[in-house]
Amino acid sequence: MRKIIIIPDSFKGTLSSKDACCIMADAARKIFPHADVIQVPIADGGEGTVDAALSAIGGKKVRLRVTGPLFNEVDSFYGLLPDGTAVIEMAAAAGLPLMGDSRDVGTATTYGVGELMRHALAHGARRIVLGLGGSATNEGGCGAAAALGAVFRDSIGNKFIPTGESLRSIVSVETEKIRAAMQGIRVEAMCDVHNPLCGESGAAAVFAPQKGADERTVHELDDGLRHLADVIAHDIGKAVDGPGAGAAGGMGAGVIAFFNGRLVRGIDALLGLANFDKMLLGADIVLTGEGRFDRQSLMGKAVGGIAKRAQKAGVPVVCAAGAIEDDIAEAYRAGIAAVFSINRAPMPFEEAVCHTRENLADTTENFLRLLKAKQSGYR
């Protein structure tokens, strides 16, 4: 065994992706001490995305002060990778924890996200990967756009920075400056939801209550986003109310409209950043895992994305899971060679989580011992 790639998702409520990586890698080095063991922590666009990218790829964390969601100054950061890609967590400048005791989503802004983008561009970034998880906002990315030069005007021609509660006051948006600022810049947003911008499954209806909005506020925010979509269609010429547009309070729509960006699955963005396709060259096996393996694992989640690329490269994938649900025959068709439950005895979840660390280590070691035995010529 010459090259082993370790790339597990988190085991929700028990192990982070980074912790799972370390546990599985230790087991791999124990059984194959001379193998090249590569660890790739997974992130989904929320908190920890920058650290995961830096851990997997290298680069530096850039720290600065920006405008927080309440228009106050906050400490923030982004990651700058060796190839000049900036990885930005929306939550680092407009995240729910930064709201403190306030849960007034209608007044929250993404302006600081735009400031992070602006700083990255000024320091040489030519590509931005934006994680949309954990936002406190519902203003369609207008604040971020304003920070990068977009000009929003009200009915008497005054400039202002729209928030969720003032979206309906937008009469026009001027985008000449932001187009110039973003010229030649690739923007990708890590987005694993398919919610549209407006309506019963839109940003306000689904996510705003989690950010403190009552029923009346939800209706007002939804009306505001619908109005914003009309302004964007008229002044920018883009229709933005498609799948994913409602992510992060409508930031999905803002990425498309203001930054000429695209929405990508979180795992695809991470695998792209890590040059996973190149990493697979010469690999003998990929070890992944997650807390629960079921049909959803193959439909847009990390394990499915990993298996798809590994299958194309002809590299087998083995998955360790806290629980296995449903018929897993589909997993084999999707390029996963085997799926193992790490639990050694039937037990309630509350008890099983107490043993996740040692169970994951034992399961990884046992599988690799079997693999080594086969390579050694056991019959």
Side-chain angles (χ1 to χ4, degrees):
M1 188 70 65
R2 296 165 300 172
K3 184 176 179 181
I4 303 170
I5 299 175
I6 311 287
I7 182 169
D9 201 347
S10 63
F11 285 65
K12 291 293 189 292
T14 54
L15 294 175
S16 68
S17 174
K18 185 175 182 179
D19 288 339
C21 266
C22 292
I23 292 167
M24 298 176 81
D26 285 346
R29 293 189 181 101
K30 181 178 179 180
I31 307 305
F32 293 101
H34 302 297
D36 180 14
V37 179
I38 300 173
Q39 297 175 234
V40 187
I42 289 176
D44 61 4
E47 185 178 353
T49 295
V50 168
D51 288 338
L54 293 176
S55 177
I57 303 150
K60 63 180 180 179
K61 182 179 282 189
V62 180
R63 301 182 184 276
L64 66 157
R65 299 275 286 175
V66 300
T67 302
L70 297 174
F71 288 94
N72 55 325
E73 200 171 65
V74 298
D75 292 318
S76 191
F77 61 88
Y78 64 89
L80 192 59
L81 306 185
D83 67 353
T85 297
V87 182
I88 296 173
E89 294 175 18
M90 188 173 171
L96 202 56
L98 296 176
M99 294 289 284
D101 294 331
S102 173
R103 284 295 183 267
D104 189 357
V105 61
T107 65
T109 183
T110 59
Y111 195 89
V113 179
E115 289 177 315
L116 291 174
M117 296 172 68
R118 189 174 67 198
H119 190 276
L121 295 177
H123 288 76
R126 306 306 295 168
R127 178 189 178 199
I128 292 174
V129 175
L130 181 62
L132 299 187
S135 76
T137 55
N138 201 95
E139 37 85 289
C142 289
L148 282 159
V151 177
F152 297 88
R153 297 188 185 275
D154 62 18
S155 59
I156 58 175
N158 289 330
K159 299 178 184 179
F160 74 110
I161 300 172
T163 61
E165 67 181 15
S166 61
L167 290 177
R168 288 171 297 177
S169 298
I170 302 173
V171 170
S172 66
V173 56
E174 301 161 14
T175 57
E176 290 80 7
K177 289 183 179 179
I178 192 172
R179 283 204 303 269
M182 302 303 295
Q183 184 69 34
I185 306 299
R186 291 171 54 197
V187 178
E188 298 173 353
M190 300 173 74
C191 176
D192 288 334
V193 302
H194 302 286
N195 303 73
L197 185 62
C198 309
E200 293 181 358
S201 57
V206 175
F207 303 115
Q210 304 167 16
K211 305 172 185 181
D214 57 23
E215 186 175 351
R216 178 181 176 182
T217 302
V218 166
H219 288 301
E220 292 173 349
L221 293 172
D222 188 59
D223 287 344
L225 289 172
R226 188 171 284 105
H227 175 75
L228 174 64
D230 290 340
V231 172
I232 288 171
H234 183 271
D235 290 2
I236 303 178
K238 290 186 177 181
V240 294
D241 199 11
M251 187 68 173
V255 166
I256 296 168
F258 302 126
F259 310 131
N260 197 32
R262 65 191 188 102
L263 308 181
V264 299
R265 291 192 308 172
I267 185 59
D268 288 335
L270 178 70
L271 295 178
L273 286 172
N275 290 316
F276 186 66
D277 292 339
K278 183 177 180 180
M279 190 183 295
L280 286 166
L281 297 175
D284 295 291
I285 197 165
V286 173
L287 302 182
T288 187
E290 61 180 344
R292 183 178 70 181
F293 185 92
D294 57 23
R295 289 189 182 92
Q296 295 301 314
S297 300
L298 305 175
M299 299 174 62
K301 291 176 67 177
V303 172
I306 292 163
K308 182 177 180 180
R309 295 194 183 212
Q311 183 182 41
K312 186 176 180 180
V315 180
V317 175
V318 173
C319 178
I324 301 174
E325 299 186 6
D326 303 321
D327 182 359
I328 61 172
E330 187 63 30
Y332 307 140
R333 290 189 288 269
I336 298 176
V339 183
F340 293 93
S341 171
I342 67 173
N343 294 310
R344 290 176 287 183
M347 63 182 68
F349 173 78
E350 294 76 13
E351 183 179 349
V353 296
C354 299
H355 303 284
T356 302
R357 183 175 294 272
E358 59 263 38
N359 286 350
L360 178 60
D362 288 346
T363 301
T364 306
E365 181 177 337
N366 281 338
F367 165 72
L368 291 175
R369 282 186 179 277
L370 177 64
L371 195 61
K372 187 174 184 178
K374 174 63 176 175
Q375 291 183 342
S376 300
Y378 276 89
R379 294 290 186 266

